[in-house]
Amino acid sequence: MSFKMSISIKGVIIIDDNVLLLKNERDEWELPGGRLEKNEQPEICVQRETEEELGIKCEVINMIDSWVYEVFAGKFVFIVTYFLYCNDLSKIKISEEHVAYKWFHLDEIENIFMPKGYKQSINKAQQLMKESI
């Protein structure tokens, strides 16, 4: 038995031990990003989606993680996360796709209402940052 699944490419943006999250219509916090379009490279997708959702340009550093999320019964999304570097965060302006954005300290992540996979990706990005120092 096969099932269909959409693909979503997300970005982890961490500055000074804070991660940028967006609140969606389901009242969940999530990483910026979105659906991969036909013939689009994942790295281009996350840059495009970040610019559309936040109004900022980011550079892809590297891939962090991939996982499957069941949004609701029978609706699955394959998620790939990338670590992003954004040099001008002063111009953040969220699109109508989200209701809010907020910087959360990395110590708060486990207590935030969001899918476990996002938390794992954020933790992996934090570990990559530590290893590169």
Side-chain angles (χ1 to χ4, degrees), residues 1 6 10 24 27 51 82 94 101 116 123:
M1 178 179 182
S6 60
K10 299 289 188 168
N24 63 29
D27 209 31
E51 188 169 1
Y82 284 87
I94 63 169
Y101 82 92
K116 182 180 176 182
N123 289 332

Side-chain angles (χ1 to χ4, degrees), residues 77-101:
V77 179
F78 178 68
I79 296 177
V80 180
T81 55
Y82 284 87
F83 189 55
L84 303 178
Y85 172 75
C86 311
N87 60 4
D88 189 2
L89 297 166
S90 65
K91 298 179 183 176
I92 292 176
K93 184 174 191 287
I94 63 169
S95 72
E96 57 197 38
E97 294 178 56
H98 295 92
V99 297
Y101 82 92

Side-chain angles (χ1 to χ4, degrees), residues 9-26:
I9 312 298
K10 299 289 188 168
V12 178
I13 303 168
I14 298 175
I15 303 291
D16 298 327
D17 291 333
N18 293 287
V19 63
L20 180 63
L21 298 176
L22 296 165
K23 188 178 258 189
N24 63 29
E25 72 281 351
R26 294 183 310 276

